[in-house]
Amino acid sequence: MAKSATLSGGVLKKVILSYIYLAIWIVLSGTVIVYNKYILDKKLYDWPFPISLTMIHMGFCSSLAFFLVRILKLVELFTLSRRVYFTCVLPIGALYSLSLWLSNSAYIYLSVSFIQMLKALMPVAVYTIGILLKKDSFKKSTMCNMLAISIGVAIAAYGESKFDSFGVSLQLLSVLVEATRLVLIQILLNSKGIKLNPIATLYYVAPSCFVFLSIPWVFVELPVFKERGFGLDFDFMVFGTNCLCAFALNLAVFLVVGKTSALTMNIGGVVKDWLLIAFSWSVIKDNVTPLNLVGYGLAFLGVAYYNHQKLQTLKAKEAEQKAQLQQDDEEGGGLLLTQREQNDTGKKGDSQY
């Protein structure tokens, strides 16, 4: 009885900790999104340089990851060969830098709430690219679900009062690039048994992102910096705290995925989007129309059903693996019993002579 109570107490503690980790991730993710919007928006802080902001994040994260890995040795590093780095990490780093650049650029033109609605298309993009790259199989039921999500986002976009076609194009491209990156991670890294935690990921990926971003920065934003002299107005307090929030977000991702699962984070992401929409409407005073909510509500139901399907698939796989292990144990036990019987028979035969 006491043992059962101890087990239930341990399970309850794990559940509570999981929710705490998830809440920390939701708060930090929302903070980084709102903070980036504040810095980039022309009506707020008015520092419309998304490439520079992303480079500052990558430079800060690279330095801090190097300090944690090489100096303090707090994180165990998975050693990558040059071939793996150039064929796997660099392409992923290039896509990651492009995704961050595009998504941060969208904050200049679109509201926080509308961007979260557009991000609901991520499962659609991941599933479509997975099929094209033969990582996923085509299913009519899943495709109907993806279609429902797309229709919901289209309705939300139609109801957007401050629709900006250029900003929408940037955000949709960001979703497409990020989805490609996620699929390539499965193909290039996970298929080889390479799983990097966020600190190790930043250690390897952030420097390459910084280098990739410096190429468009030289041609797009550096001339503007020289012309306006914005380098003299750099606020270390604003950008320093912004970078700390971005780095803390990566740690939170490590906690959520490590202590729960990636699926839990996806479900938490839906909750985060609703909270950001409510925050954007009530605090930032973004105009959220009824048609916005109807469209995103439809997309939300599609995403929720998609996550439910993934959960059922994972449970089915786990049950299949357990059944297979049990069968192997039974077969192994039966084989061992047969061997013992044969040995006993042999011994009896020997004793007869």
Side-chain angles (χ1 to χ4, degrees):
M1 192 78 175
K3 187 176 180 181
S4 176
T6 304
L7 286 173
S8 61
V11 171
L12 180 62
K13 183 179 178 181
K14 287 183 179 179
V15 171
I16 293 174
L17 284 175
S18 297
Y19 278 112
I20 290 174
Y21 295 143
L22 192 62
I24 291 172
W25 173 76
I26 289 173
V27 170
L28 285 172
S29 181
T31 300
V32 170
I33 288 171
V34 173
Y35 211 156
N36 288 349
K37 171 67 175 177
Y38 167 75
I39 291 173
L40 295 167
D41 199 308
K42 295 177 182 179
K43 297 178 182 178
L44 299 173
Y45 189 76
D46 192 22
W47 203 79
F49 299 103
I51 304 177
S52 300
L53 181 64
T54 310
M55 287 180 68
I56 292 170
H57 287 171
M58 291 298 102
F60 181 86
C61 290
S62 298
S63 303
L64 202 50
F66 181 85
F67 181 74
L68 292 174
V69 171
R70 292 298 185 184
I71 308 300
L72 298 183
K73 300 185 184 299
L74 295 178
V75 179
E76 186 177 353
L77 197 63
F78 193 103
T79 305
L80 301 179
S81 64
R82 284 188 177 183
R83 185 174 179 275
V84 171
Y85 184 80
F86 283 106
T87 59
C88 299
V89 176
L90 282 186
I92 291 170
L95 291 172
Y96 190 40
S97 60
L98 182 58
S99 171
L100 291 173
W101 171 20
L102 292 170
S103 62
N104 282 336
S105 299
Y107 285 112
I108 300 175
Y109 306 96
L110 303 176
S111 65
V112 171
S113 58
F114 187 42
I115 285 177
Q116 303 317 304
M117 295 176 189
L118 292 175
K119 284 182 179 180
L121 287 170
M122 183 62 73
V124 180
V126 171
Y127 181 66
T128 304
I129 293 170
I131 291 174
L132 292 175
L133 297 181
K134 298 181 179 180
K135 186 63 181 177
D136 216 330
S137 57
F138 177 83
K139 294 179 182 178
K140 286 185 178 180
S141 58
T142 307
M143 187 55 71
C144 289
N145 188 18
M146 298 297 107
L147 183 61
I149 295 173
S150 303
I151 292 173
V153 173
I155 294 172
Y158 183 77
E160 177 62 20
S161 59
K162 296 181 180 178
F163 185 90
D164 187 286
S165 57
F166 184 67
V168 170
S169 300
L170 289 173
Q171 184 56 45
L172 292 180
L173 278 173
S174 172
V175 169
L176 184 63
V177 172
E178 178 63 12
T180 306
R181 184 183 75 90
L182 293 175
V183 174
L184 282 183
I185 286 176
Q186 293 180 340
I187 295 173
L188 297 178
L189 292 181
N190 294 350
S191 62
K192 297 181 180 179
I194 301 172
K195 293 184 179 180
L196 302 175
N197 61 57
I199 303 299
T201 301
L202 288 175
Y203 178 83
Y204 284 116
V205 176
S208 65
C209 286
F210 187 90
V211 173
F212 282 120
L213 287 166
S214 65
I215 298 171
W217 180 79
V218 169
F219 298 100
V220 178
E221 293 185 1
L222 180 59
V224 182
F225 270 90
K226 290 180 177 179
E227 182 181 347
R228 299 185 185 182
F230 269 84
L232 300 175
D233 301 326
F234 189 83
D235 192 328
F236 286 95
M237 179 62 70
V238 170
F239 291 98
T241 52
N242 180 246
C243 288
L244 283 173
C245 288
F247 188 81
L249 176 59
N250 282 277
L251 296 180
V253 170
F254 174 65
L255 283 174
V256 173
V257 176
K259 302 299 181 180
T260 58
S261 66
L263 183 60
T264 302
M265 199 169 85
N266 287 337
I267 296 171
V270 176
V271 177
K272 178 203 70 176
D273 291 341
W274 277 111
L275 291 174
L276 277 172
I277 290 171
F279 180 86
S280 177
W281 171 73
S282 60
V283 178
I284 306 178
K285 303 301 179 183
D286 285 338
N287 187 19
V288 180
T289 66
L291 201 55
N292 277 146
L293 296 178
V294 170
Y296 184 67
L298 177 60
F300 162 75
L301 291 175
V303 173
Y305 182 68
Y306 174 72
N307 286 329
H308 173 73
Q309 282 186 316
K310 287 181 68 176
L311 181 60
Q312 295 304 315
T313 302
L314 286 174
K315 285 183 178 179
K317 285 183 178 179
E318 287 179 1
E320 186 180 346
Q321 288 175 352
K322 287 181 180 179
Q324 184 64 42
L325 286 173
Q326 186 176 1
Q327 183 180 353
D328 291 344
D329 290 340
E330 290 176 355
E331 289 177 355
L335 181 61
L336 183 61
L337 183 61
T338 303
Q339 289 176 345
R340 285 180 177 176
E341 289 176 351
Q342 290 175 349
N343 290 336
D344 291 342
T345 304
K347 288 179 180 178
K348 289 179 180 178
D350 291 341
S351 63
Q352 289 177 357
Y353 290 100

